[in-house]
Amino acid sequence: MLGPVENRSVSPVFVGRADELDTLNDALARAAAGEPQALLLGGEAGVGKTRLVEEFAAVACRRSAVVAVGGCVEIGADGLPFAPFSSALRALRDTLPGEFAAAAAGQEEELARLLPELGEAASSRHDEQGTARLFELTARLLERAAAERTVVLVLEDLHWADASTRHLLAYLFRTLRTGRLLVLATYRADDIHRRHPLRPLLAELDRLRTVRRLELARFTREEVARQIAGILAAEPDPAQVDAIFERSDGNAFFVEELAVADCEGCCAGLSDSLRDLLLVRVEKLPESAQRVARIVAEGGSTVEYRLIAAVARFSEDDLIEALRAAVGANILTATPDGDGYRFRHALVREAVADDLLPGERSRLNRRYAEALEADPSLVPAGARVMRLASYWYHAHDPAKALPAVLEASVVARRRHAYTEQLRLLERAMELWDTAPEEVRAALRPVDYTGMYPPCGRDPATTPLRYLDLMAEAAVAGRFGGERERALKIVRRALQLLQDDPDPLRAAWFWVQRSRLVQALARGDGWPELATAQELVRGLPPSEVHAEVLTESAGWSMLHRPGPEALADAEQAVEYARMVNAREIELNARLTLGGLMVDAGDIEAGLAEMSRVKEEAIAEGVTQVAGRAHVNLPGSLQSVGRDRDAEPILREGIDFTRRYGLPDSQAWVWGNLSDALYSLGRWEEAAEAAGQAIRIGRSAKPRGAAALRLAHLALAHGDGAEAARQLATARAHYGTRDPMPQNGLPLARIAVGVAACEGRLLDARAEFLTALEAGFPPGTQRYAWPLLLAMATAEADAGTLPAAEAGRAGMLGRLSEAARGLIADAPLWRAYDQWTRAELRRAEGRDTDGTWSPVVTAFESLDRPYDLARVRHRLAQALLTHGGEEHRERAVELLRLSGAVAGHLGARPLAEAVARLAQRARLSLGHPPHRALASADPAASLGLTSRERDVLRLVSAGRTNRQIAEELFISPKTASVHVSNILAKLGVSGRGEAAAVAHRLGLFPPETEDRLVAG
């Protein structure tokens, strides 16, 4: 469009920034090695961020990296949703078409929300995970595209970023784990005032150890001198350097402006205001060029040439001359694609825009809007609707602005840019009363709402209402994480509905309020759902009615499972089918299947859940399919079928990852951790729980994962780590929305931690608190492990004085609770027997007859750790109450338990097995290892293995009675062994025997409690 224009105000010399460039180059090297890098580059306007990025990009290109740049686009006061990511992905696709196509394969419809060139965006139902799904797919796209080639993603001007861009950037910085990827985002630090929306994001990213933040300082006097020398191509006068340094305060852009102004001889007459300095540069232009500058300033951060021409209404020759003058003076610069213009620096644009008169500003916006309406091809298709809405809004024309803003809100919703949709809908609500009645009457809900059910009206013929906007805005706020704003809108809507009653609409808003109250941890959401139920009671079936029943059944399944919840779920399925609300029907059926399993109709419930999963996948209802991959294996696990659950969970990880459902994926990982724990694969279980914590966005799946790590820590014998993870889980769960599936496992771990630390009274208090809350039907999978943990704690406390007070009452409460719990599956029948056996042990009444049925029950289950624990208990009973004929069986039981404990790293169980074997004088080693003992000094003295055990205890100062108790022999037999030992050692007493053992090193202190078996 224009030929080369002299550009003497940009210094050819790159000045300073050596440390910052070194940091960027180091990050590039790390990224090239496969370690993703995230950097933030901040600095005041004009300090040199863009120049540093350009220098770094040149280095990256020389090192064969692909550099994709995207900038946040400002239109008036608005940012285009996802604009920098769209631009950067477009550049990446142009540079690496093959790699990009392979990385995006199968997800083009979803990714088209960011890059329309990929095809038509998916028209799936919107939900709370829609944004998260898009974010996850974008992260995976970048990781795959950067698998073989280093990719540098540069996102400029983050201070203009829309909320969706900010949220996506935060998600990338938190979740990127693989790929040769470097993400660099720049922002203007002096714009980040206390209430700037970027401020909380920066604070959040500062807490991430994976993110490095660079702040560019102003130039020193020496650096200013070098910059001026580069601009003037000559050494500057020291006095000139001093003057420019003093006035610019080291700001690189102002140094440049002052140096050029001084060179052109116009510096003396300038005011001290740097803003005035920028305007003086513009005011020196011809009038036509000044007019073009004002047009471009109001058009946005970048304006297309044809659009400028339509607004300026110059002849083409006059426009070219005006643009040439502005470009030649370095006020404007052509865009890299040669299709438009932008101010060379945003500070100049802001100064020009601020100098516009109010009427002048609205007139320019009107011209922009009229030009776009007359010829939509003047701007890229993906930006047209948003820019038209902004132009009409700032033109202060409600009749034109309201429909344009509503159309833009639809585009934002399609892109999952829900926060931008909310902002636009709030703007529409602001315009509503000032827009002419005939304009409002022509609007239809079918065109502008997508999440609000018809509520008995035909959305294609009924005029759009203000309540419709509020409903759409409330859902947009909930989906976009702006829950406080959404809750305010819902409250206002319910107030309006008091004056103009509409039960269906009111019920719908009460459901939204329930969801928001729960999400904000303001309550459990039941009062709101109960109100919605009352409003729809007696009304004909409708989509709202079905949704209320489905929500109520789902709530009850988690909080109060039982017959009422089952009835609600059955009615929800019936109503959803009657009104053809397919997604609600699938959700209700999934809930119904889970409640059927809880009620004891196990096979029918599991079959229904399996059908829902397959139908949801086949019909593309991803939200329900994701939930099914959580709930179906969870129900299988609830009846002890972890082996059957594992392949469904593995399938669920692939499904939720493919469709970008991070919270569902976190729940799947957590359930997989449970299954792997039960199956005796503890290292994998810990990895799965860690994945759940890393991937989950919401508090509850991360809390559940922390609880699983606490459970593992207890089994490993690490009480401190268990206590730490327990505290983390409690913090995630909060106290406002208690559920049995959270509260009972918390109590179980709390009991275990207290018992591990010897705090039996605290363990009792934790248990009694949980018992007071009750065990609703369907919670046996959480209640049985809690009862067992408390019964075991009581039994392990033995005859400790602190345990005596209140023991009888506690054992009675435990027995009563066990009698009231359902044992409707082999696993829970085994737990029932185990718990009762521990209660008998606590009373000192257990025998091998108590434990044999428990071992038999667990031998048919696929739970190696549980089996090892009860085998240890049976061996203990055999050695305590059985005769010599039972010792061989006890050895085998302990050998099996010890092997499992060693394999899993279950230190408490391993130590218990070792102590019992030593006390009973049992060798758990295998015969081939016994030959190694020939070099043992005890063997050379002629001591038998039993005499060696007795000598060890003699050396420890034990009496014959104590020796007998520890080795399960009579005092008389112990006395005989002592006499034989004294004779073999040739000593006359116990003290001399102990001295001989010490001198020969028969019993090093560190080996006294060592586990014999491997």
Side-chain angles (χ1 to χ4, degrees):
M1 193 182 302
L2 289 178
V5 178
E6 184 182 2
N7 189 2
R8 67 175 294 191
S9 62
V10 176
S11 171
V13 179
F14 180 67
V15 176
R17 312 306 187 203
D19 291 342
E20 292 85 355
L21 196 56
D22 285 346
T23 300
L24 292 172
N25 288 334
D26 173 69
L28 181 65
R30 290 172 181 267
E35 181 184 347
Q37 299 293 298
L39 298 102
L40 291 167
L41 177 62
E44 68 179 9
V47 81
K49 300 182 293 297
T50 301
R51 184 64 189 276
L52 175 60
V53 169
E54 289 171 352
E55 197 73 17
F56 170 62
V59 172
C61 289
R62 288 197 295 271
R63 296 182 183 179
S64 301
V66 174
V67 180
V69 182
C72 299
V73 177
E74 186 189 27
I75 309 170
D78 311 320
L80 279 178
F82 300 122
F85 284 101
S86 298
S87 299
L89 290 176
R90 188 172 293 113
L92 186 60
R93 182 172 180 250
D94 292 342
T95 308
L96 300 174
E99 293 89 336
F100 192 96
Q107 301 300 333
E108 291 88 350
E109 285 191 354
E110 198 69 37
L111 291 168
R113 302 182 194 280
L114 287 182
L115 199 58
E117 295 94 313
L118 293 177
E120 189 70 26
S123 57
S124 57
R125 179 182 170 100
H126 295 268
D127 52 60
E128 283 189 82
Q129 293 208 51
T131 304
R133 182 161 58 246
L134 179 62
F135 289 3
E136 176 70 11
L137 294 176
T138 305
R140 301 293 79 79
L141 168 72
L142 290 170
E143 287 184 344
R144 288 193 287 266
E148 303 296 333
R149 183 90 173 266
T150 305
V151 173
V152 177
L153 193 72
V154 180
L155 307 172
E156 294 189 301
D157 300 324
L158 210 57
H159 50 280
W160 286 333
D162 59 286
S164 297
T165 293
R166 295 194 300 271
H167 295 161
L168 176 51
L169 181 67
Y171 186 84
L172 287 179
F173 278 5
R174 284 197 308 267
T175 61
L176 286 175
R177 295 286 182 270
T178 62
R180 301 176 178 182
L181 181 66
L182 185 153
V183 182
L184 171 62
T186 72
Y187 64 95
R188 192 191 290 180
D190 50 329
D191 271 8
I192 312 303
H193 51 77
R194 181 172 296 178
R195 295 189 177 181
H196 194 287
L198 185 61
R199 191 180 184 93
L201 173 62
L202 294 175
E204 175 189 347
L205 296 179
D206 277 341
R207 292 191 290 271
L208 297 178
R209 289 177 296 177
T210 54
V211 179
R212 284 188 274 183
R213 187 167 168 184
L214 305 176
E215 290 284 349
L216 287 191
R218 296 175 178 179
F219 281 159
T220 64
R221 184 193 180 284
E222 289 72 23
E223 289 169 333
V224 167
R226 289 172 57 199
Q227 183 186 6
I228 297 171
I231 293 170
L232 303 180
E235 282 299 318
D237 179 83
Q240 182 188 29
V241 172
D242 289 339
I244 291 177
F245 177 65
E246 181 179 352
R247 295 192 65 196
S248 68
D249 203 16
N251 181 287
F253 179 66
F254 289 135
V255 168
E256 182 180 307
E257 292 294 307
L258 288 165
V260 172
D262 192 26
C263 179
E264 294 176 352
C266 61
C267 195
L270 295 179
S271 72
D272 288 334
S273 166
L274 289 172
R275 178 178 171 277
D276 288 346
L277 167 64
L278 301 180
L279 287 177
V280 165
R281 293 279 313 280
V282 176
E283 288 165 357
K284 288 182 60 184
L285 296 172
E287 179 56 36
S288 60
Q290 290 185 47
R291 184 177 172 188
V292 167
R294 290 192 291 271
I295 290 170
V296 175
E298 193 58 24
S301 51
T302 298
V303 187
E304 294 75 7
Y305 168 75
R306 292 176 59 228
L307 182 58
I308 297 171
V311 174
R313 301 176 183 175
F314 288 180
S315 70
E316 187 168 9
D317 288 343
D318 289 344
L319 179 59
I320 292 293
E321 286 306 312
L323 286 169
R324 183 177 294 280
V327 171
N330 280 300
I331 301 299
L332 299 181
T333 183
T335 56
D337 58 12
D339 188 45
Y341 292 88
R342 63 183 301 163
F343 278 82
R344 201 181 66 78
H345 201 284
L347 283 172
V348 181
R349 175 181 169 239
E350 290 166 14
V352 174
D354 288 345
D355 204 45
L356 291 172
L357 299 173
E360 186 179 15
R361 176 173 284 110
S362 60
R363 181 170 59 86
L364 283 174
N365 276 283
R366 174 176 289 277
R367 283 196 178 181
Y368 271 116
E370 290 171 342
L372 261 185
E373 281 195 340
D375 185 358
S377 68
L378 292 175
V379 301
R384 184 189 65 83
V385 173
M386 289 289 180
R387 289 174 67 172
L388 187 61
S390 179
Y391 292 146
W392 276 127
Y393 178 78
H394 290 102
H396 304 299
D397 186 338
K400 289 284 195 176
L402 179 59
V405 166
L406 286 172
E407 190 176 350
S409 76
V410 174
V411 171
R413 185 184 72 219
R414 287 175 184 157
R415 301 191 79 181
H416 290 331
Y418 297 118
T419 305
E420 282 61 50
Q421 182 196 6
L422 173 60
R423 177 179 56 78
L424 289 161
L425 288 167
E426 288 174 331
R427 187 168 281 181
M429 289 188 280
E430 170 198 330
L431 293 165
W432 186 262
D433 288 334
T434 57
E437 174 61 30
E438 59 270 19
V439 171
R440 299 202 304 264
L443 301 173
R444 295 289 179 269
V446 70
D447 297 321
Y448 304 114
T449 62
M451 309 173 202
Y452 187 38
C455 295
R457 293 174 172 84
D458 184 354
T461 60
T462 306
L464 186 73
R465 296 175 54 184
Y466 187 76
L467 272 174
D468 298 329
L469 298 184
M470 299 183 82
E472 198 77 1
V475 177
R478 183 161 63 85
F479 288 180
E482 298 288 345
R483 298 186 179 98
E484 289 286 2
R485 288 161 69 185
L487 188 57
K488 281 185 179 180
I489 292 169
V490 168
R491 286 171 176 159
R492 282 171 49 208
L494 289 170
Q495 288 172 355
L496 291 176
L497 284 164
Q498 288 179 348
D499 301 328
D500 184 13
D502 184 332
L504 282 180
R505 288 177 186 270
W508 186 89
F509 275 108
W510 278 110
V511 169
Q512 304 310 308
R513 183 163 175 167
S514 171
R515 290 168 171 166
L516 289 165
V517 163
Q518 291 181 75
L520 290 166
R522 304 275 174 79
D524 63 10
W526 179 248
E528 292 78 9
L529 282 178
T531 303
Q533 283 184 316
E534 284 300 317
L535 286 165
V536 299
R537 184 166 283 120
L539 296 180
S542 67
E543 186 174 336
V544 172
H545 203 154
E547 187 172 1
V548 169
L549 290 170
T550 301
E551 285 290 319
S552 300
W555 187 95
S556 297
M557 181 178 69
L558 296 176
H559 296 82
R560 291 200 297 263
E564 288 185 12
L566 195 65
D568 279 348
E570 289 172 340
Q571 192 176 12
V573 172
E574 180 186 354
Y575 277 31
R577 283 174 173 161
M578 291 172 67
V579 298
N580 199 29
R582 181 61 172 161
E583 184 167 347
I584 294 176
E585 178 202 332
L586 289 170
N587 249 326
R589 285 171 55 198
L590 187 61
T591 298
L592 177 61
L595 288 166
M596 290 167 67
V597 173
D598 289 343
D601 194 0
I602 294 172
E603 295 307 321
L606 292 173
E608 176 68 346
M609 298 176 83
S610 184
R611 283 192 294 270
V612 170
K613 179 175 76 74
E614 297 307 319
E615 290 172 24
I617 292 172
E619 296 173 27
V621 189
T622 55
Q623 182 73 10
V624 178
R627 183 175 171 236
H629 280 101
V630 177
N631 288 17
L632 172 58
S635 291
L636 285 166
Q637 291 173 275
S638 75
V639 294
R641 289 160 60 174
D642 295 272
R643 184 75 65 184
D644 295 336
E646 185 188 357
I648 301 174
L649 290 165
R650 299 283 184 190
E651 172 191 312
I653 289 168
D654 291 339
F655 181 89
T656 53
R657 180 185 291 139
R658 183 164 65 252
Y659 288 98
L661 302 170
D663 270 351
S664 293
Q665 188 182 158
W667 282 118
V668 173
W669 277 113
N671 283 357
L672 180 61
S673 178
D674 267 349
L676 294 169
Y677 175 91
S678 298
L679 295 171
R681 290 149 61 186
W682 286 8
E683 287 186 6
E684 293 178 70
E687 291 173 5
Q691 286 279 38
I693 290 171
R694 283 189 293 273
I695 290 168
R697 300 184 73 206
S698 300
K700 285 180 180 175
R702 297 169 73 186
L707 208 55
R708 288 168 176 111
L709 290 175
H711 193 195
L712 279 164
L714 269 182
H716 283 307
D718 190 345
E721 175 64 11
R724 189 181 73 80
Q725 293 290 355
L726 174 63
T728 300
R730 280 178 164 155
H732 281 307
Y733 284 145
T735 59
R736 297 292 189 92
D737 188 14
M739 301 180 193
Q741 70 172 17
N742 301 337
L744 294 178
L746 279 172
R748 177 190 61 172
I749 299 301
V751 165
V753 169
C756 175
E757 296 173 352
R759 298 182 287 107
L760 182 64
L761 298 183
D762 289 341
R764 287 175 177 173
E766 293 281 0
F767 173 76
L768 290 174
T769 299
L771 190 61
E772 289 301 319
F775 303 150
T779 60
Q780 54 267 29
R781 69 175 297 190
Y782 311 113
W784 278 119
L786 171 59
L787 289 181
L788 176 64
M790 191 65 238
T792 303
E794 290 290 348
D796 286 346
T799 57
L800 292 174
E804 286 303 314
R807 166 174 293 231
M810 176 58 66
L811 296 182
R813 297 289 296 273
L814 282 164
S815 296
E816 182 182 356
R819 284 194 297 273
L821 264 186
I822 296 173
D824 57 352
L827 174 61
W828 306 126
R829 288 193 285 273
Y831 261 77
D832 185 7
Q833 292 176 288
W834 189 359
T835 302
R836 296 180 192 281
E838 289 290 0
L839 290 173
R840 291 182 66 86
R841 185 167 72 91
E843 295 168 345
R845 297 190 298 114
D846 66 317
T847 65
D848 57 307
T850 304
W851 289 101
S852 286
V854 183
V855 170
T856 301
F858 276 98
E859 282 175 340
S860 64
L861 301 173
D862 206 353
R863 303 174 78 87
Y865 180 57
D866 289 346
L867 179 58
R869 290 176 65 191
V870 297
R871 278 174 168 166
H872 165 252
R873 292 290 183 226
L874 175 56
Q876 187 178 36
L878 287 169
L879 292 171
T880 302
H881 303 288
E884 288 292 327
E885 69 274 12
H886 294 302
R887 292 175 66 81
E888 185 175 341
R889 187 184 178 201
V891 168
E892 184 59 25
L893 289 168
L894 290 177
R895 182 178 293 128
L896 291 170
S897 292
V900 170
H903 172 72
L904 296 177
R907 184 167 55 84
L909 177 60
E911 291 175 348
V913 167
R915 284 194 301 269
L916 182 59
Q918 288 174 345
R919 287 170 54 203
R921 193 196 64 80
L922 300 176
S923 174
L924 305 184
H926 297 283
H929 297 295
R930 290 174 184 162
L932 298 175
S934 60
D936 189 343
S940 65
L941 295 172
L943 297 177
T944 66
S945 60
R946 172 61 83 185
E947 289 167 347
R948 174 185 173 131
D949 289 337
V950 172
L951 178 57
R952 175 177 62 80
L953 295 172
V954 167
S955 301
R958 307 291 173 83
T959 66
N960 287 347
R961 180 170 296 279
Q962 290 171 328
I963 292 170
E965 290 174 352
E966 189 151 352
L967 298 181
F968 300 95
I969 58 179
S970 68
K972 183 176 181 181
T973 302
S975 175
V976 171
H977 283 308
V978 170
S979 298
N980 290 338
I981 290 168
L982 296 179
K984 290 180 179 181
L985 296 182
V987 295
S988 58
R990 289 170 175 268
E992 290 180 55
V996 170
H998 177 72
R999 186 174 69 251
L1000 296 177
L1002 295 181
F1003 311 113
E1006 67 272 15
T1007 65
E1008 286 184 6
D1009 295 322
R1010 184 176 297 164
L1011 180 65
V1012 177

